[in-house]
Amino acid sequence: MSPEDQAAAEVADLWRAAPGQEVDSAVIWLHHQGESEAIQQMMFNDFTIPNAGRVRWLWPRAPLQPSSIRGHSLVLQWFDVKEYPICRTVRGVPDRPRKGEDPEDVQKAVARVEAAVKALEVEGVPRRRILLGGFGMGGALVLKTVLQSREPFAGGVVCSAWLPCAEDLAESLREGGITTEMLWCHGARDSVVEPVLAAQQAKMLKEAGVQIRFQLFPEAQFELSREPLLAVQAFIARCLKMEEKDEEEPPELPTDGEGGVRTEGS
């Protein structure tokens, strides 16, 4: 057993030992760079998911790592970003492409999310009942994790994000990434992640066969404001809705041969 599998088994054992903690579904939500999970938690405080059974929300916190855009000071981040804004071209004399993320750094972040997913799977929650969501850098990591998955998730939510290392899509895309339904919400006034770039990347994913819906909100900036939040909540509720079990049909009663029901003694 690998160290990652061992860690997943230990986490699952802790949950199984906690009385009343058995769940039917799970949501893993990832925060943006330089933030903690607290802001995102407050947004979903009053959100209940109908007909989804028992749902556990997990709010992983990114590790403290040196940040290139902040003078290499320690920042909560899933992977390092060389420069903002996230855009197609950095204007200058001459114009130049934006410096992209390090693929190895991004893959380490994907492994962190997969460890949380694996712990849920060991506990008995199948991947098809686990939804991944995130904002900003967290949303970017959701995209990479879902697209590389061999099995489908319950769904994926991407808010104000981008696809890091997009040039690797052809070789990294797996069957689970193609069949997982995803929602990408973006603000038309976003100054951190260029809306045109986000729309182009979403179009590229759709052309690759990915089941993704890109929704642009005209008044939204780099934020999870009320309108996109409502869209996200509706999407989560639909993805995690449990199918109603067919009611058992009553056993057929014996008849007297003439269409009537035969009773004891008749």
Side-chain angles (χ1 to χ4, degrees):
M1 182 181 291
S2 68
E4 292 79 10
D5 291 342
Q6 181 65 37
E10 290 174 358
V11 171
D13 286 342
L14 288 174
W15 280 112
R16 277 197 292 262
Q21 295 299 323
E22 298 82 4
V23 295
D24 303 297
S25 312
V27 177
I28 301 176
W29 193 273
L30 308 177
H31 62 81
H32 180 51
Q33 179 188 38
E35 301 175 354
S36 72
E37 69 284 359
I39 296 176
Q40 306 290 306
Q41 282 178 316
M42 288 189 293
M43 292 184 178
F44 291 96
N45 263 348
D46 300 324
F47 175 47
T48 57
I49 307 176
N51 304 317
R54 295 157 296 186
V55 182
R56 180 186 302 154
W57 286 72
L58 300 180
W59 309 88
R61 179 176 294 184
L64 280 170
Q65 302 182 76
S67 171
S68 295
I69 64 168
R70 300 190 182 182
H72 299 285
S73 58
L74 294 178
V75 172
L76 291 173
Q77 61 179 20
W78 300 106
F79 52 85
D80 192 36
V81 171
K82 300 296 190 293
E83 57 185 351
Y84 282 112
I86 311 297
C87 56
R88 296 164 296 167
T89 304
V90 177
R91 298 302 178 187
V93 183
D95 292 350
R96 63 172 177 82
R98 172 184 164 269
K99 297 176 183 176
E101 290 73 42
D102 179 2
E104 290 187 11
D105 198 22
V106 175
Q107 282 306 118
K108 289 179 182 177
V110 170
R112 287 180 177 274
V113 180
E114 278 290 344
V117 172
K118 188 169 291 186
L120 287 166
E121 290 180 315
V122 172
E123 186 184 344
V125 184
R127 189 167 294 230
R128 66 179 182 276
R129 296 296 303 164
I130 301 172
L131 183 141
L132 299 187
F135 174 78
M137 181 181 286
L141 182 52
V142 166
L143 271 177
K144 292 298 288 187
T145 305
V146 171
L147 293 174
Q148 295 179 18
S149 178
R150 296 186 180 278
E151 299 177 20
F153 285 93
V157 176
V158 180
C159 303
S160 301
W162 73 100
L163 176 61
C165 309
E167 63 278 4
D168 299 338
L169 177 66
E171 59 188 53
S172 62
L173 184 60
R174 299 289 181 268
E175 183 63 27
I178 294 174
T179 56
T180 297
E181 186 178 358
M182 288 193 280
L183 172 67
W184 187 333
C185 295
H186 213 92
R189 300 186 179 187
D190 193 329
S191 60
V192 178
V193 182
E194 184 182 56
V196 174
L197 172 67
Q200 288 179 345
Q201 289 187 336
K203 181 175 181 289
M204 176 184 67
L205 292 174
K206 201 168 187 64
E207 290 174 346
V210 178
Q211 297 185 44
I212 191 163
R213 177 163 59 93
F214 183 81
Q215 194 166 350
L216 191 66
F217 295 86
E219 300 302 320
Q221 302 179 40
F222 183 72
E223 59 184 341
L224 191 54
S225 54
R226 184 178 183 277
E227 192 176 359
L229 180 61
L230 290 174
V232 166
Q233 291 176 342
F235 179 81
I236 293 175
R238 181 167 61 80
C239 287
L240 294 183
K241 182 178 180 180
M242 300 183 72
E243 296 181 2
E244 294 182 4
K245 296 181 179 179
D246 295 331
E247 294 184 4
E248 294 185 4
E249 296 183 2
E252 292 185 5
L253 295 175
T255 63
D256 57 7
E258 298 179 357
V261 175
R262 189 171 64 225
T263 59
E264 292 293 330
S266 61

